[in-house]
Amino acid sequence: MSSSNLQSKRRRKRSDCLGDGGDERDEKPMVAKTRGLKEIITSLLLLEEQEKQEREEYEREEEESKSHLEANHKKRTRVMWEFFSTAQHHQSAAEQIDGARKQKGRANTRTAAAAIAAAAAAAEQEVDSGSSRTEKTAQRRLWVKNRSTAWWDECNSADFPDEEFKKAFRMGKDTFEMICSELSSAVARENTMLRDAVPVKQRVAVCIWRLATGEPLRLVSKKFGLGISTCHKLVLEVCTAIKTVLMPKYLQWPDETKITSNKHEFEMISGIPDVVGSMYTTHIPIIAPKISVASYFNKRHTERNQRTSYSITVQGVVDPKGVFNDVCIGWPGSMPDDEVLEKSALSQRANGGLLNGVWIVGSSGFPLMDWVLVPYSQQHLTWTQHAFNEKVAEIQKAAKDAFARLKGRWCCLQKRTEVKLQDLPVVLGACCVLHNICEIRNEEMDPELAIELIDDVTVPEVLLRSTTARISRDNIAHNLLHHNHAGTSFLS
């Protein structure tokens, strides 16, 4: 064998040996790469599976949300269709009623025209007075609805017992006749071709009975045989006439002679000199107004009665007999007594110097002023202060009892009224005037009508408005005890 062949054989063997060693060295890296690739593939499969599950859950939630929205839409659509159907039904009914009313109106018009034509023809044929009266009566029947006036006719008869009349109208026949006579020129109306005017007595009776009972207008209408709107109109007309005609005569600040008499009587009651009046403020319930509701809200009445209350105030000053000499009506129920006093004509009169040297006695809801005398309101009082408060309470009783009789006699003041807020001052003023007339004419009130008057008193933020008044009150209290005018009931 030649040397070249031997060399080539050796080279092949060497290459084979080298080749086997390289395979062994490359085998381990390949295994590691395969394992890593499997792990990557497994991770990708897991991620893909997780993504698939999330996508399926999202699609399921979307489907549920869509179903819920569709259900709500169907429900709303059904409700809207029901409302639309109901509205169409009501509209159809209203159109039918309106059509029937128009047909009835046209029929009535034709009937009225025919009747008027017949009456005119009869008037042409008959010229005597009897035929004229028949024509007027026929015309009135076209316009006036027949209502029973039996109850009022019975009350208005001469044989009707005075006691029963007094129960119905809170006054005797003589007082009622006097009021009718005074108001005759202001409330009388003339007859027309179409109807006779309501007589003066019946007009006044409608108003007084409404104020006395507080009954709704439909019952007033039934009692007097008049329309509801007519009764409402009569009440306001008569109340306005009372304010215009009777108030200047029966509810005015007293003259010098009367002031001297009031001083003497109050001093006989209490031993306190120079007192010309007793002052009190009460609340009249009303329906919640449409404007300024919060200002008419009565917090104290609401808390005590456990029901929402609205009211207006009536401040009054009375003489020893309980006759009103001054009234201030209509301020909102949320306003405390001292603010009502500041806004009243009485305060303006005092600021003008007309109350210098005299006292008006009020409750602890008023401040102590040069002309307003109030009780001591601190917690710990001396015997002298206790005695003074007792005497002040005796004067205050005149005003409180007067307001109790006012509300007891005129029951419309005890309940929420149908009268509009802007008309209430006129109505309440009329009640005060009628109260004075009854008191002056000694019309005793039925004991069954007596009520317990409850009005919360709020102590004003500034109790003392005058140092001079404080000294004067201390001197009055000292003199009462020193001259044995003060009682000792506070010790018992």
Side-chain angles (χ1 to χ4, degrees):
M1 185 179 296
S2 64
S3 59
S4 60
N5 290 333
L6 289 174
Q7 288 178 356
S8 62
K9 286 182 179 182
R10 290 192 187 107
R11 281 196 297 270
R12 280 196 302 268
K13 288 180 180 181
R14 190 182 297 114
S15 62
D16 290 338
C17 291
L18 291 173
D20 293 338
D23 289 340
E24 290 179 359
R25 284 191 299 269
D26 291 342
E27 183 178 358
K28 291 182 179 181
M30 289 294 295
V31 171
K33 289 180 180 181
T34 303
R35 187 181 299 113
L37 183 61
K38 288 181 179 180
E39 290 177 355
I40 292 172
I41 293 173
T42 302
S43 299
L44 291 174
L45 291 174
L46 289 175
L47 289 174
E48 184 178 0
E49 182 66 23
Q50 184 176 1
E51 183 180 359
K52 182 180 179 181
Q53 291 177 358
E54 290 178 353
R55 184 168 57 254
E56 291 176 353
E57 184 177 357
Y58 175 78
E59 290 175 354
R60 184 171 62 256
E61 290 178 354
E62 285 289 320
E63 188 67 25
E64 290 178 356
S65 177
K66 183 179 179 181
S67 301
H68 183 67
L69 289 174
E70 289 178 353
N72 284 342
H73 178 70
K74 291 179 180 179
K75 183 178 179 180
R76 291 180 180 177
T77 303
R78 184 175 66 256
V79 172
M80 291 178 66
W81 274 110
E82 290 176 356
F83 176 78
F84 180 71
S85 300
T86 304
Q88 282 187 326
H89 174 72
H90 286 307
Q91 184 177 3
S92 300
E95 290 176 353
Q96 292 176 2
I97 293 172
D98 188 52
R101 186 179 299 161
K102 289 181 179 178
Q103 292 177 1
K104 184 178 179 181
R106 287 193 293 269
N108 288 341
T109 303
R110 289 194 296 270
T111 304
I116 292 173
E124 291 178 357
Q125 295 174 1
E126 300 178 4
V127 295
D128 57 8
S129 59
S131 63
S132 298
R133 288 193 298 271
T134 303
E135 178 189 357
K136 293 178 182 179
T137 304
Q139 288 180 357
R140 282 198 297 271
R141 286 174 184 167
L142 297 175
W143 296 91
V144 180
K145 179 180 179 180
N146 291 326
R147 293 183 173 91
S148 174
T149 60
W151 182 84
W152 164 240
D153 292 338
E154 182 182 1
C155 292
N156 195 33
S157 67
D159 298 332
F160 192 70
D162 192 68
E163 288 299 321
E164 294 297 320
F165 188 92
K166 192 171 183 178
K167 284 184 178 180
F169 297 97
R170 309 299 193 254
M171 61 184 68
K173 291 183 179 180
D174 292 342
T175 301
F176 179 79
E177 293 283 352
M178 183 275 294
I179 293 174
C180 291
S181 177
E182 294 270 7
L183 297 178
S184 178
S185 60
V187 301
R189 299 292 183 270
E190 294 183 357
N191 296 338
T192 66
M193 291 291 293
L194 299 178
R195 66 185 72 190
D196 289 337
V198 179
V200 171
K201 280 189 177 182
Q202 190 174 2
R203 287 172 175 269
V204 177
V206 167
C207 177
I208 292 180
W209 193 80
R210 161 83 160 143
L211 300 179
T213 62
E215 296 291 354
L217 289 170
R218 57 182 177 82
L219 292 183
V220 182
S221 169
K222 185 176 180 181
K223 285 283 186 181
F224 290 91
L226 299 171
I228 292 177
S229 60
T230 301
C231 291
H232 176 67
K233 183 180 178 181
L234 289 179
V235 170
L236 294 181
E237 284 183 356
V238 175
C239 285
T240 302
I242 290 173
K243 179 182 177 182
T244 304
V245 178
L246 298 182
M247 185 174 281
K249 296 181 180 180
Y250 295 98
L251 203 164
Q252 287 297 315
W253 190 253
D255 55 21
E256 289 298 326
T257 303
K258 183 62 176 175
I259 286 178
T260 302
S261 175
N262 289 349
K263 287 181 181 180
H264 176 71
E265 291 187 43
F266 276 124
E267 189 168 3
M268 291 293 292
I269 293 172
S270 64
I272 300 177
D274 298 324
V275 175
V276 298
S278 176
M279 181 167 54
Y280 188 83
T281 301
T282 192
H283 288 256
I284 306 299
I286 62 171
I287 298 173
K290 295 181 179 180
I291 58 174
S292 302
V293 178
S295 62
Y296 291 91
F297 176 68
N298 192 315
K299 181 180 179 181
R300 297 182 295 277
H301 284 199
T302 299
E303 292 174 349
R304 185 176 63 251
N305 301 326
Q306 297 299 311
R307 55 181 295 183
T308 305
S309 299
Y310 301 89
S311 66
I312 64 172
T313 60
V314 178
Q315 174 194 283
V317 177
V318 305
D319 66 11
K321 296 179 180 179
V323 175
F324 289 102
N325 295 147
D326 181 89
V327 290
C328 178
I329 300 170
W331 289 105
S334 63
M335 190 176 293
D337 296 351
D338 60 317
E339 291 186 16
V340 175
L341 177 61
E342 290 176 1
K343 296 180 180 297
S344 66
L346 181 66
S347 182
Q348 296 177 8
R349 186 182 294 115
N351 294 336
L354 298 179
L355 297 179
N356 290 342
V358 298
W359 294 109
I360 292 177
V361 173
S363 67
S364 57
F366 299 101
L368 179 64
M369 304 168 68
D370 288 332
W371 54 280
V372 179
L373 189 63
V374 298
Y376 293 96
S377 58
Q378 62 264 32
Q379 291 184 351
H380 303 292
L381 302 178
T382 65
W383 285 12
T384 302
Q385 292 169 344
H386 270 295
F388 173 83
N389 283 2
E390 283 186 350
K391 293 304 178 181
V392 167
E394 292 178 3
I395 298 176
Q396 264 280 284
K397 189 175 185 297
K400 189 170 183 179
D401 288 350
F403 270 103
R405 292 195 298 275
L406 174 73
K407 286 189 172 182
R409 186 176 274 131
W410 311 114
C411 295
C412 67
L413 306 181
Q414 302 176 29
K415 58 183 73 173
R416 298 186 298 176
T417 178
E418 300 168 350
V419 179
K420 294 181 180 179
L421 187 62
Q422 60 266 28
D423 296 326
L424 265 180
V426 174
V427 175
L428 300 181
C431 290
C432 294
V433 173
L434 293 174
H435 164 88
N436 279 5
I437 293 173
C438 291
E439 294 289 316
I440 293 170
R441 295 177 65 88
N442 297 318
E443 294 281 358
E444 294 184 2
M445 192 178 75
D446 189 342
E448 294 182 358
L449 299 175
I451 66 169
E452 182 183 0
L453 194 63
I454 300 176
D455 287 292
D456 301 295
V457 175
T458 302
V459 178
E461 295 182 1
V462 182
L463 289 171
L464 181 63
R465 305 284 177 89
S466 169
T467 304
T468 304
R470 178 181 61 80
I471 296 172
S472 298
R473 182 174 65 174
D474 291 342
N475 290 336
I476 292 172
H478 174 76
N479 290 335
L480 286 175
L481 197 63
H482 181 70
H483 292 96
N484 296 322
H485 288 300
T488 56
S489 61
F490 62 90
L491 296 174
S492 58

